[in-house]
Amino acid sequence: MIYLKVIIYLESVCDKMEQFDFESIGLDIEKTRLKARNNNIYLSDNQIEILKRYNIDYQKYNSISSLLFDIEEILNSGMGEDDLEILSNDIQEFNYYNNTNK
């Protein structure tokens, strides 16, 4: 009996998710999706906007490590804000899970 209640609950949650209008809350999923850029660095459109705010041209980097190094330099100088620190953490995490031999 409890399994039936759980299944009914999960079906109702799924129905609500399908009907939810993500655009109404300003969430543009396409802007958050990581894309391979011409220098083989994966960044989302939102991440590129943050980099532009700090005058960081991601296209001049040939590796994710060199991009991260410059981001960390800005953060260590005290000029970076929370958005740049979050971006740095996100890029580091992506780099770890995708480019590290485990």
Side-chain angles (χ1 to χ4, degrees):
M1 183 67 167
I2 194 160
Y3 294 116
L4 182 59
K5 289 181 181 179
V6 169
I7 290 172
I8 292 171
Y9 173 75
L10 290 175
E11 286 176 346
S12 70
V13 169
C14 289
D15 288 342
K16 290 176 185 174
M17 288 297 293
E18 288 176 4
Q19 297 169 2
F20 189 76
D21 181 16
F22 288 97
E23 291 179 13
S24 68
I25 59 169
L27 181 61
D28 187 354
I29 294 173
E30 194 59 33
K31 290 184 80 173
T32 61
R33 196 179 93 218
L34 294 175
K35 300 170 190 155
R37 305 302 170 164
N38 58 359
N39 51 358
N40 207 25
I41 293 177
Y42 285 82
L43 295 169
S44 71
D45 294 340
N46 284 345
Q47 291 173 328
I48 290 173
E49 289 175 18
I50 294 169
L51 292 171
K52 285 180 181 177
R53 275 187 253 150
Y54 292 94
N55 296 318
I56 301 172
D57 181 12
Y58 73 94
Q59 295 176 348
K60 76 176 188 176
Y61 298 94
N62 58 3
S63 73
I64 197 75
S65 299
S66 58
L67 174 61
L68 280 169
F69 181 81
D70 282 355
I71 291 172
E72 290 300 319
E73 287 287 310
I74 293 171
L75 290 170
N76 290 336
S77 72
M79 296 187 60
E81 307 238 349
D82 289 342
D83 59 347
L84 191 62
E85 188 168 351
I86 292 168
L87 172 62
S88 175
N89 291 337
D90 289 345
I91 293 173
Q92 288 176 43
E93 182 178 354
F94 178 82
N95 188 41
Y96 174 78
Y97 285 110
N98 290 286
N99 298 324
T100 302
N101 294 329
K102 296 170 196 76

